[in-house]
Amino acid sequence: QAQLVESGGGLVQPGGSLRLSCTTSGFISNNYAMRWYRQAPGKERELVAAITSGGGTTDYADSVKGRFTISRDDAKNTVYLAMNSLKPEDSAVYYCNVRYFSASMIPLGNYWGQGTQVTVSS
């Protein structure tokens, strides 16, 4: 199984920036999509950003488009979420998610990080 460790959360002021990282240990396959989710108190978990196995395609929630950037460094087994122009409504626990596939695109597993708290406040 894979283990995902997140870091980079913290307290920032509105308009500030923060970069989250998620590093995977343990090997499943070399073919995996990576995603960031977030969940605020009293709300459902929300997909924030996604990136394909090759890194050529990204997708973002409307609420973060133009402010957040997802990227990956396969040499480091790491996915990043760069967050700019942060707003109080961005406050949530952020979770990384990795979905592994075989070379023939058969699903092999779906793994989650432990979550990291992001708080945007004056």
Side-chain angles (χ1 to χ4, degrees), residues 11-48:
L11 174 65
V12 297
Q13 294 184 348
S17 299
L18 205 61
R19 189 178 77 158
L20 308 181
S21 63
C22 175
T23 299
T24 300
S25 62
F27 177 79
I28 300 296
S29 78
N30 292 320
N31 185 13
Y32 52 95
M34 309 184 83
R35 301 181 179 187
W36 284 98
Y37 291 80
R38 68 185 181 188
Q39 187 166 24
K43 297 183 179 179
E44 295 183 349
R45 188 168 297 185
E46 172 191 20
L47 175 63
V48 177

Side-chain angles (χ1 to χ4, degrees), residues 9-117:
L11 174 65
V12 297
Q13 294 184 348
S17 299
L18 205 61
R19 189 178 77 158
L20 308 181
S21 63
C22 175
T23 299
T24 300
S25 62
F27 177 79
I28 300 296
S29 78
N30 292 320
N31 185 13
Y32 52 95
M34 309 184 83
R35 301 181 179 187
W36 284 98
Y37 291 80
R38 68 185 181 188
Q39 187 166 24
K43 297 183 179 179
E44 295 183 349
R45 188 168 297 185
E46 172 191 20
L47 175 63
V48 177
I51 187 167
T52 57
S53 179
T57 302
T58 57
D59 193 25
Y60 299 91
D62 289 341
S63 60
V64 306
K65 286 181 179 178
R67 300 188 298 117
F68 289 12
T69 302
I70 186 171
S71 62
R72 60 191 290 162
D73 186 343
D74 288 348
K76 298 180 179 180
N77 298 311
T78 299
V79 60
Y80 303 95
L81 184 68
M83 304 181 293
N84 299 312
S85 302
L86 284 163
K87 305 175 181 179
E89 50 263 43
D90 294 319
S91 297
V93 177
Y94 284 71
Y95 300 90
C96 66
N97 170 262
V98 180
R99 297 183 180 184
Y100 292 91
F101 301 89
S102 71
S104 58
M105 298 304 296
I106 298 173
L108 297 177
N110 185 19
Y111 298 88
W112 293 86
Q114 82 283 1
T116 184
Q117 177 71 52

